[in-house]
């Protein structure tokens, strides 16, 4: 090959190089690059991670959760109806100030917001770990709109109307510390935690509502860090069910710290009592119970339950079956 031919190929290659070189204006910023990268990944097809798999995974993290409550805002209430917004025009979006707040209770999430496939019903709040009789506090400044009892779900519950246009609901309470129409500040004790209504153990069912819309509390509160995500929350009809950076792993880590500082206390599961005054000596199995749930709710261990009742860890429990706790 002669020198002139070589030079000709070099010129062609150089021309092709410059013809295909991206100009400075075409370089993408990091966030644009990430968005493009995300689109490329999305276009690669199904990699085996499906919504169904994700749902099963999340449900497995909270396998001992209580059955969701019936919605007191929409179901079966003719008098003292909780949802007074049925005829109201709800805006598409609204900015809500959440800067002045108090955590209703420092407990970790035992059951998150969302649809429960096995119960075929939405869980329109979060359940927080408590011990019987723990103090429950107002999340924001506001006025008590309702204190009531709902046998099928919430048990004793309080609804607060807040000055930031939100309403909050607190369910399964053992006692009220406030009365309807009473004004409260954020952090004011409003009730004692309990196990009333549709509940298999002490917990606080906590909801955040905007004009009847049940917002995911994890869109407003960061329960693992005991704060709000930001000073302002933007309600949107298209996204109000979404969490905001909710991490099951972070919740699990917080749960470990919380349980170390606030160990679970035994609670009375039946009307029977022991002569030593340490709570019930027996437990009547309810639908959905497991050995691990019964053990954790009664301050004992699965191995001890098995030893006392002649069971194995794989034994099937029957509703109505009586188990010895001690």
């Amino acid at each position: 090959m002669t020198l002139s031919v070589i030079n000709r190929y070099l010129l062609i290659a150089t021309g092709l190089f410059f013809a295909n070189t991206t100009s400075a204006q075409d370089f993408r910023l990091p966030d644009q690059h990430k968005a493009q990268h995300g689109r490329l990944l999305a276009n690669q097809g199904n990699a085996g991670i499906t919504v169904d798999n994700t749902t099963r995974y999340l449900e497995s993290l909270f396998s001992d959760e209580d059955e969701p409550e019936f919605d007191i805002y929409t179901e079966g209430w003719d008098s003292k109806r909780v949802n007074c917004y049925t005829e109201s025009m709800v805006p598409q979006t609204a900015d809500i100030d959440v800067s002045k707040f108090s955590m209703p209770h420092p407990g970790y999430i035992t059951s998150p917001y969302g649809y429960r496939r096995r119960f075929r019903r939405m869980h329109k709040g979060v359940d927080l770990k408590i011990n019987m009789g723990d103090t429950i506090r107002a999340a924001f400044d506001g006025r008590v709109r309702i204190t009531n009892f709902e046998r099928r779900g919430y048990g004793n519950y309080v609804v607060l109307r807040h000055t930031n246009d939100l309403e909050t609901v607190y369910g399964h309470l053992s006692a009220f510390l406030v009365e309807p129409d009473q004004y409260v500040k954020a952090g004011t004790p409003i009730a004692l935690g309990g196990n009333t209504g549709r509940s298999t153990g002490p917990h606080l069912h906590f909801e955040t509502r905007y004009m009847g819309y049940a917002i995911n509390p994890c869109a407003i509160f960061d329960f693992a860090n005991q704060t709000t995500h930001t000073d302002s929350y933007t309600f949107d009809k298209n996204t109000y069910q979404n969490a905001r950076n909710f991490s099951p792993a972070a919740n699990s880590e917080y749960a470990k710290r919380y349980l170390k500082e606030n160990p679970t206390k035994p609670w009375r599961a039946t009307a029977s009592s022991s002569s030593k005054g340490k709570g019930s000596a027996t437990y009547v199995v309810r639908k959905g119970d497991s050995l691990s749930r019964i053990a954790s709710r009664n301050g004992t261990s699965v191995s001890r339950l098995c030893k006392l009742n002649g069971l194995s860890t794989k034994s099937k429990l029957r509703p109505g079956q009586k188990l010895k706790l001690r």
Side-chain angles (χ1 to χ4, degrees):
M1 185 179 293
T2 64
L3 182 62
S4 60
V5 173
I6 294 172
N7 287 337
R8 191 180 309 143
Y9 277 115
L10 287 173
L11 286 172
I12 292 171
T14 303
L16 287 172
F17 172 78
F18 283 109
N20 287 282
T21 300
T22 304
S23 66
Q25 287 80 4
D26 290 327
F27 281 114
R28 297 181 181 275
L29 295 173
D31 57 339
Q32 293 173 310
H33 173 74
K34 289 177 182 176
Q36 183 189 41
H37 185 240
R39 287 194 295 271
L40 289 172
L41 287 175
N43 288 332
Q44 289 179 4
N46 190 333
I49 302 175
T50 65
V51 173
D52 185 58
N53 290 338
T54 303
T55 301
R56 279 204 298 267
Y57 169 71
L58 289 173
E59 286 180 349
S60 71
L61 295 175
F62 303 96
S63 57
D64 286 342
E65 67 194 8
D66 289 289
E67 183 174 352
E69 293 78 1
F70 288 102
D71 188 355
I72 54 176
Y73 272 67
T74 59
E75 296 187 26
W77 286 89
D78 296 321
S79 62
K80 299 185 82 173
R81 190 172 182 85
V82 177
N83 187 2
C84 58
Y85 297 106
T86 53
E87 304 300 326
S88 301
M89 293 293 292
V90 182
Q92 178 65 34
T93 63
D95 291 327
I96 301 170
D97 182 5
V98 294
S99 58
K100 296 178 181 179
F101 72 95
S102 172
M103 302 303 291
H105 186 274
Y108 58 91
I109 294 175
T110 60
S111 181
Y113 176 102
Y115 183 73
R116 296 293 176 267
R117 183 171 54 184
R118 59 179 171 154
F119 300 125
R120 298 180 182 179
R121 198 158 70 244
M122 274 290 291
H123 186 226
K124 295 188 176 181
V126 295
D127 290 345
L128 300 178
K129 172 68 176 177
I130 67 164
N131 281 311
M132 284 291 292
D134 280 358
T135 301
I136 309 302
R137 301 179 183 276
F140 306 101
D141 295 355
R143 194 173 296 278
V144 180
R145 187 156 74 79
I146 291 177
T147 61
N148 206 355
F149 176 76
E150 202 278 311
R151 179 179 58 82
R152 297 185 306 159
Y154 290 71
N156 292 319
Y157 67 92
V158 173
V159 179
L160 299 183
R161 170 78 60 83
H162 301 291
T163 53
N164 59 6
D165 294 326
L166 282 178
E167 286 195 334
T168 50
V169 182
Y170 311 75
H172 306 301
L173 310 171
S174 61
F176 301 124
L177 302 179
V178 290
E179 298 177 348
D181 205 41
Q182 180 178 337
Y183 184 80
V184 296
K185 300 287 287 183
T188 299
I190 59 170
L192 300 181
N195 182 39
T196 57
R198 185 184 291 266
S199 172
T200 57
H203 70 280
L204 172 67
H205 176 79
F206 177 65
E207 295 182 8
T208 47
R209 299 261 185 168
Y210 177 70
M211 300 188 74
Y213 281 73
I215 298 167
N216 188 335
C218 291
I220 299 173
F221 290 95
D222 179 352
F223 290 95
N225 292 296
Q226 295 290 285
T227 187
T228 52
H229 291 292
T230 53
D231 288 342
S232 179
Y233 166 72
T234 300
F235 167 82
D236 189 313
K237 286 182 179 179
N238 295 327
T239 61
Y240 70 93
Q241 294 184 325
N242 298 339
R244 188 171 181 177
N245 302 326
F246 173 66
S247 167
N251 184 64
S252 178
E253 284 301 310
Y254 176 68
K256 292 176 184 176
R257 298 198 306 271
Y258 176 84
L259 287 172
K260 187 176 181 180
E261 298 171 4
N262 305 274
T264 299
K265 298 175 183 177
W267 57 280
R268 192 178 300 274
T270 68
S272 63
S273 61
S274 71
S275 58
K276 295 182 180 179
K278 294 182 179 179
S280 175
T282 60
Y283 179 84
V284 179
V285 176
R286 303 181 186 184
K287 184 179 179 181
D289 272 344
S290 64
L291 285 171
S292 60
R293 167 183 280 184
I294 296 170
S296 65
R297 303 294 194 194
N298 291 277
T300 186
S301 65
V302 171
S303 60
R304 180 158 176 77
L305 284 178
C306 290
K307 184 177 180 180
L308 286 171
N309 297 279
L311 303 173
S312 74
T313 55
K314 296 181 180 179
S315 295
K316 278 195 170 185
L317 301 179
R318 305 183 311 276
Q321 179 180 355
K322 286 188 177 182
L323 297 180
K324 295 178 182 178
L325 298 178
R326 285 187 296 283

